[in-house]
Amino acid sequence: MKPLYTADVKVVGGREGSIRSSDGALDHKLSMPKELGGPGGEGTNPEQLFAAGYGACYESALANIARKEGVTLKDVTIHSQVMIGKDETDDGFKLAVKLRIEMPGIERSQAEELAKKAHDFCPYSKATRGNIDVELNVI
């Protein structure tokens, strides 16, 4: 792969630390969610960041596929959920993703076909394929 862009983020303190991108556009505290035994709080967490990145990347892939197929999309919404839970095969943790895809004005079968093609095309989907469960729901 020949890189076109490199995101550069410094992480200090793990799940209860902070993150800052080299350009300063991303600068947040991290907080362990109460559901994982942490205090919660105002900081974000890796699962929220992954959900945001995956959702944004997937929507861009969907727009790209639709454009190539001559389909006009309006008011598309991607609701991206990233779940973390115990991995039953070892003592660690595992992720799963659910993407709820809304394409108003697009007939359901066409929307489902576009959603699948976007999943095949999206770099996040490619990176996770075979590693975590990803569920697509066209609504």
Side-chain angles (χ1 to χ4, degrees):
M1 177 189 83
K2 181 180 178 184
L4 300 174
Y5 169 75
T6 300
D8 183 3
V9 177
K10 182 178 180 181
V11 180
V12 177
R15 283 185 166 270
E16 296 191 52
S18 63
I19 56 174
R20 180 170 169 74
S21 61
S22 59
D23 64 2
L26 183 67
D27 189 1
H28 292 283
K29 291 181 181 179
L30 298 174
S31 298
M32 177 78 81
K34 289 181 181 181
E35 296 85 349
L36 296 178
E42 296 179 15
T44 189
N45 60 64
E47 293 73 34
Q48 288 176 339
L49 294 166
F50 188 60
Y54 201 153
C57 187
Y58 181 85
E59 195 281 331
S60 292
L62 181 62
N64 186 295
I65 295 298
R67 188 172 41 258
K68 287 179 181 177
E69 297 198 4
V71 177
T72 301
L73 297 178
K74 293 179 96 177
D75 301 321
V76 170
T77 301
I78 308 299
H79 182 102
S80 178
Q81 295 178 303
V82 171
M83 289 75 60
I84 187 169
K86 292 296 267 177
D87 187 338
E88 297 174 4
T89 62
D90 62 23
D91 201 26
F93 293 88
K94 186 174 182 176
L95 298 176
V97 173
K98 289 183 182 180
L99 298 176
R100 190 172 69 221
I101 305 131
E102 298 179 47
M103 290 182 255
I106 304 296
E107 192 265 317
R108 183 170 188 82
S109 63
Q110 183 180 31
E112 288 174 346
E113 184 64 25
L114 289 170
K116 183 188 176 318
K117 288 179 179 179
H119 186 52
D120 291 341
F121 184 78
C122 174
Y124 273 68
S125 294
K126 289 178 182 179
T128 60
R129 192 165 289 120
N131 296 310
I132 65 173
D133 293 331
V134 177
E135 181 181 319
L136 302 178
N137 296 303
V138 176
I139 59 171

